[in-house]
Amino acid sequence: MSSEHLAELAHDNVEDCVQECPCVSDRQKPAIRRLLALWLSTFFACLDGIVRWLGPIFVVIVWVLISGIVLSWYSILAPYLRVTHSAPFMILQILFAHWLLINIIYHYFKVTTTRPGAPPSLPAEDVQRAVAMGYRYCKKCSLVKPHRCHHCQVCKGCVLNMDHHCPWINNCVGHHNHRHFFLFMAYIWLGCLYVVCVSWTPFWEVRTSAVGFEAVAVHVNDRVQLAFCFVLTAAVLFALGILLFWHVYLVSTGQTTIEFYNNMTLKAEARDRKERWVNPYNFGAARNWRTFLGLVDGRTFARNILLPSAHPPVGDGLTWRTNHHEEASV
């Protein structure tokens, strides 16, 4: 969720609290509201600045951690597998590990270097027409915001089909890099699962050997490095797994992180009216995934997902077809 939406929620909660507070007179409420609004805007502005400043550092940390795990595989796990398994099995391990590594590096590079997309600048008469048609206008960017577009306070710009701003990639997740973000998470999660499975046996041997570490030193060269490898990948496996399967749910239901929270409000309002609200961008899980992964025009899962692919997303991020067969365009 973007800091802009967090600020909006915080402001709404402040309004409710001030309005319902019995110890504040009606004359004092406007001044208190202004003071709290100023404090909140200052707080979130500082928070956005901190996130913007830490972004490049987080990217370096990710590359360092990936490099550390790769080094551990070459220096500890590969020699262990070579001693304890047959040559054909070792070849399969090498191929599988390097397939994961190539995809991890490729998608992380792409998600950090690909801009998520921004709405175009329109002539004044087109802006007026779009606003009259009900489109939102961003006063900070002086741009008309297409459907599913939101302003990012960290990036200081509007983002097409914005999901959220991620400090770990120092970038917004939006229309043009959302697939790379998801596939990076998926491949890094699979990579962590693989390393945990492979390192479990030597890690347990080191911990439980009756004669100490020296008994398994022929297979494992560095106890600290092995512990680092196992504990780090196990922790990432758990934490990233929660985020990954959260995004599996979002893609399956045709919504972004921001839209999920907005849709909850719309559902509640429709329920109060005794109506049923339907997400207009949900076309069913199968079609949602084909669209999200860009599997159109002859693209296949084997060639364009299991292997690195730079194919563009479906659509331009400006025009969206709904499940009511209505197309909204600027």
Side-chain angles (χ1 to χ4, degrees):
M1 198 172 186
S2 69
S3 59
E4 181 181 24
H5 284 74
L6 288 174
E8 291 176 359
L9 287 176
H11 184 269
D12 292 341
N13 289 332
V14 166
E15 287 279 347
D16 295 338
C17 291
V18 173
Q19 185 64 34
E20 297 173 4
C21 183
C23 60
V24 179
S25 66
D26 291 339
R27 292 184 60 185
Q28 294 173 323
K29 287 179 180 179
I32 293 177
R33 288 196 194 98
R34 287 194 297 269
L35 180 62
L36 290 176
L38 177 62
W39 183 87
L40 284 173
S41 62
T42 303
F43 170 78
F44 281 105
C46 293
L47 182 62
D48 292 333
I50 293 172
V51 172
R52 190 182 309 114
W53 181 78
L54 290 177
I57 298 175
F58 283 162
V59 171
V60 172
I61 291 174
V62 171
W63 282 118
V64 169
L65 292 178
I66 292 174
S67 301
I69 299 301
V70 172
L71 179 63
S72 298
W73 189 89
Y74 279 112
S75 62
I76 294 179
L77 298 179
Y80 178 85
L81 293 171
R82 188 170 59 248
V83 172
T84 57
H85 294 83
S86 64
F89 183 80
M90 183 62 189
I91 292 174
L92 290 176
Q93 292 276 351
I94 292 174
L95 292 175
F96 182 72
H98 285 81
W99 168 71
L100 287 174
L101 179 61
I102 290 171
N103 276 290
I104 289 170
I105 292 175
Y106 174 78
H107 287 294
Y108 190 65
F109 173 78
K110 292 292 288 184
V111 77
T112 55
T113 58
T114 301
R115 301 307 303 165
S121 178
L122 298 176
E125 58 272 16
D126 290 341
V127 171
Q128 295 175 358
R129 180 171 61 87
V131 172
M133 293 171 60
Y135 285 91
R136 296 164 299 151
Y137 182 77
C138 181
K139 296 180 179 179
K140 297 175 182 177
C141 298
S142 299
L143 296 172
V144 173
K145 294 197 286 189
H147 295 299
R148 315 187 83 176
C149 177
H150 301 276
H151 183 85
C152 176
Q153 299 282 31
V154 179
C155 294
K156 302 297 184 184
C158 287
V159 177
L160 297 178
N161 195 23
M162 180 179 175
D163 187 87
H164 69 289
H165 182 93
C166 179
W168 292 103
I169 64 173
N170 192 33
N171 201 358
C172 268
V173 178
H175 183 65
H176 291 287
N177 63 358
H178 200 170
R179 176 178 65 90
H180 294 297
F181 174 77
F182 179 85
L183 290 178
F184 167 70
M185 286 196 302
Y187 280 114
I188 201 88
W189 188 83
L190 286 174
C192 288
L193 178 63
Y194 164 75
V195 172
V196 166
C197 292
V198 170
S199 62
W200 167 251
T201 300
F203 179 76
W204 190 251
E205 285 181 0
V206 169
R207 287 182 54 84
T208 61
S209 175
V211 293
F213 177 70
E214 292 75 12
V216 292
V218 65
H219 304 320
V220 180
N221 302 319
D222 190 325
R223 181 197 298 247
V224 175
Q225 192 174 359
L226 175 63
F228 163 80
C229 179
F230 178 81
V231 173
L232 175 64
T233 51
V236 173
L237 181 69
F238 174 77
L240 186 61
I242 297 174
L243 181 63
L244 174 63
F245 288 103
W246 164 245
H247 279 271
V248 168
Y249 165 76
L250 291 176
V251 175
S252 299
T253 53
Q255 53 188 334
T256 63
T257 300
I258 293 176
E259 288 173 343
F260 172 79
Y261 293 101
N262 292 341
N263 291 347
M264 284 200 305
T265 301
L266 294 174
K267 286 180 182 178
E269 292 174 351
R271 190 163 52 247
D272 293 339
R273 299 192 302 268
K274 308 299 182 183
E275 298 175 355
R276 179 174 176 268
W277 183 85
V278 177
N279 176 13
Y281 305 114
N282 185 4
F283 292 90
R287 183 172 171 182
N288 290 342
W289 278 103
R290 286 197 302 270
T291 302
F292 175 76
L293 296 174
L295 298 181
V296 297
D297 300 329
R299 300 175 191 143
T300 64
F301 187 86
R303 188 172 68 250
N304 298 100
I305 304 301
L306 296 182
L307 297 176
S309 174
H311 66 270
V314 175
D316 57 8
L318 302 173
T319 299
W320 297 94
R321 184 173 294 277
T322 69
N323 49 28
H324 303 299
H325 305 291
E326 296 175 355
E327 195 169 69
S329 61
V330 176

